[in-house]
Amino acid sequence: MEQLLHMDQVNKNYGGKIALQNVSLTVGSGRIIGLLGTNGSGKSTMMKIAAGLIQPASGTAEILGRPVGLETKALVSFMPDRPLTESWMKVKDALQFYEDFYTDFDPLKAERMLQFMNLNLGDKISTLSKGMNERLQLTLALSRNASLYLLDEPIGGVDPVARGKILDAIVEFYNEDSSIIISTHLVRDIERIFDEVIFIRNGELVLHDEVENIRLKHGKSIDDMFKEVFAE
Amino acid sequence: MCHEVSIEFDNNLPIYLQIMNYIKKQIITGKLQPGDKIPSVRELAVELQINPNTIQRTFQELEREEIVETRRGLGRYVTSEESKIMSIKKEMAGDLIQHFIQGMQELGFKEKDILTIVSDAFETDKSNLKEEG
């Protein structure tokens, strides 16, 4: 298996609070991976380390064999849980912003995706509903030709209709040579698009397996497994 | 098939097995005919909102069972061999029967009772049909 993302003994804390504890994992290419955990479990921290936005306190993170840094940022497309776009922008400004910023941005793909998402170039971002804004952020992130896509809570806080549309778009526009890591705590709606899932609890990796293996071994849905692992 | 796909998935069971069974049923009931082209991985993935690798695995398993064949550059087709289709039918019938017998045995019925109950059910069925006709 090609090592698209490899983390070895990664630790991270914010002040005295432990965010990640000895996290080691390997992710191959051509996969859709669920990064599952409750709020505050360390999902966003893990994504930010992979995206090169923050540094681990100890341990290493590599993308395609290269240590995470300036060079790997070109390989990774990160959709943060808070939008990067400014409120004065129109959809077309946001596209232009991404095109200027990222050489791998594919304007034709972006246009096809916008159409699929029922977004218009002239829409003002400040007037978009939360669901429409999520659709825009996803369009921006997936329109780059990256090797690894990191989507932080892409379906958090949107209604089931918008959720369905976002899942459709992920399956429809996903490039099979790349991998997508999607963090969420809404497991039931999304578990059928995963190849594998990573469970992270209190900063520790507690499970990493293929979803069909989990169903076969435990006779359980990923959602039930999630509830069991995270029961308080 | 592409336009009438509807599967109620059970997330507790491997999804690829459920899609395999679905396609087998489509073949047995004639909704998919021998030699029919089946949708591509991407088409089915989008249609069912399922991971493309899961669909890929489904097709690989169906190929291994020689129910589906790949024609290079053209796509995947339902086998034209009637014997294969008969064997799926037998396999699915076998599963149903086994399930039934197990259930009846759990209720405490022995072979002879089960046979009587089944033939009685057929008789009732026939006489109901006569009354209606």
Side-chain angles (χ1 to χ4, degrees):
Chain A
M1 184 166 75
E2 196 187 10
Q3 296 195 352
L4 183 52
L5 167 67
H6 181 69
M7 286 190 174
D8 191 33
Q9 298 283 313
V10 166
N11 285 283
K12 178 77 187 173
N13 34 286
Y14 299 111
K17 196 182 171 302
I18 293 168
L20 287 181
Q21 214 174 350
N22 287 326
V23 170
S24 299
L25 61 90
T26 300
V27 165
S29 46
R31 319 284 284 168
I32 302 179
I33 299 134
L35 178 61
L36 312 179
T38 47
N39 291 329
S41 54
K43 302 187 297 281
S44 290
T45 303
M46 226 182 93
M47 287 205 159
K48 282 178 189 157
I49 287 176
L53 298 177
I54 55 175
Q55 297 290 323
S58 66
T60 54
E62 293 176 345
I63 307 283
L64 288 168
R66 285 165 244 181
V68 166
L70 261 188
E71 201 189 350
T72 62
K73 280 190 187 174
L75 303 169
V76 178
S77 180
F78 177 53
M79 173 186 159
D81 56 355
R82 286 188 201 92
L84 290 175
T85 44
E86 302 282 345
S87 55
W88 57 265
M89 287 179 171
K90 287 185 174 168
V91 169
K92 65 168 185 270
D93 301 318
L95 255 61
Q96 191 60 51
F97 179 68
Y98 261 67
E99 200 177 337
D100 291 345
F101 215 75
Y102 298 106
T103 51
D104 62 355
F105 191 78
D106 179 348
L108 290 176
K109 188 177 179 187
E111 261 174 56
R112 276 194 300 130
M113 266 192 91
L114 282 184
Q115 210 167 20
F116 183 87
M117 297 292 209
N118 295 322
L119 281 160
N120 299 308
L121 286 171
D123 290 343
K124 269 196 88 169
I125 291 179
S126 56
T127 63
L128 294 179
S129 67
K130 188 156 186 184
M132 288 311 258
N133 210 338
E134 295 277 9
R135 293 186 195 193
L136 173 63
Q137 302 304 325
L138 186 71
T139 301
L140 294 171
L142 288 188
S143 294
R144 285 183 55 195
N145 289 314
S147 300
L148 177 64
Y149 298 88
L150 302 168
L151 312 179
D152 201 359
E153 298 280 358
I155 57 168
V158 303
D159 60 69
V161 177
R163 212 173 280 165
K165 194 74 182 170
I166 286 170
L167 295 186
D168 280 346
I170 292 173
V171 178
E172 173 101 31
F173 291 96
Y174 153 66
N175 159 15
E176 279 156 37
D177 301 323
S178 62
S179 282
I180 307 184
I181 300 180
I182 303 172
S183 80
T184 186
H185 58 274
L186 300 164
V187 183
R188 212 167 74 112
D189 295 325
I190 196 175
E191 66 169 79
R192 290 205 295 269
I193 75 163
F194 294 143
D195 286 290
E196 39 188 286
V197 284
I198 297 166
F199 282 18
I200 180 166
R201 187 181 57 202
N202 298 332
E204 281 182 284
L205 194 149
V206 288
L207 178 84
H208 181 185
D209 202 352
E210 307 219 349
V211 290
E212 295 281 67
N213 270 347
I214 293 174
R215 294 189 186 111
L216 204 61
K217 262 194 275 183
H218 304 275
K220 260 184 206 141
S221 67
I222 308 308
D223 189 40
D224 287 341
M225 197 72 190
F226 181 80
K227 284 178 184 148
E228 194 176 295
V229 169
F230 291 91
E232 285 180 11
Chain B
M1 165 175 183
C2 213
H3 302 288
E4 42 181 302
V5 185
S6 59
I7 312 181
E8 281 289 325
F9 285 107
D10 177 355
N11 283 341
N12 298 308
L13 298 170
I15 304 292
Y16 81 93
L17 287 176
Q18 296 179 58
I19 309 175
M20 273 178 82
N21 278 334
Y22 176 78
I23 292 178
K24 285 179 181 174
K25 266 191 197 143
Q26 295 265 314
I27 294 173
I28 292 174
T29 55
K31 283 176 190 140
L32 270 175
Q33 294 283 336
D36 272 0
K37 192 174 196 297
I38 58 173
S40 71
V41 169
R42 186 51 76 107
E43 277 165 5
L44 212 53
V46 170
E47 181 92 24
L48 299 175
Q49 271 193 19
I50 295 277
N51 181 294
N53 291 323
T54 307
I55 309 277
Q56 186 72 38
R57 179 159 179 200
T58 307
F59 287 167
Q60 273 167 4
E61 294 289 324
L62 288 170
E63 272 170 28
R64 213 173 44 79
E65 294 186 8
E66 296 173 27
I67 292 162
V68 157
E69 55 195 27
T70 300
R71 295 184 202 154
R72 197 170 282 212
L74 293 172
R76 289 189 179 79
Y77 293 81
V78 176
T79 180
S80 312
E81 276 180 59
E82 296 287 346
S83 63
K84 273 287 155 208
I85 294 169
M86 265 319 282
S87 75
I88 313 173
K89 227 173 186 164
K90 278 188 189 149
E91 180 199 313
M92 289 193 113
D95 286 348
L96 277 175
I97 289 284
Q98 209 189 351
H99 213 77
F100 169 74
I101 292 176
Q102 202 187 344
M104 292 300 272
Q105 281 170 342
E106 278 167 15
L107 290 177
F109 292 109
K110 299 274 181 284
E111 182 182 341
K112 222 180 101 197
D113 308 325
I114 298 174
L115 289 173
T116 314
I117 291 169
V118 170
S119 59
D120 282 356
F122 273 114
E123 286 309 315
T124 320
D125 219 30
K126 274 181 213 155
S127 55
N128 281 350
L129 273 178
K130 263 182 213 155
E131 274 169 34
E132 280 169 30

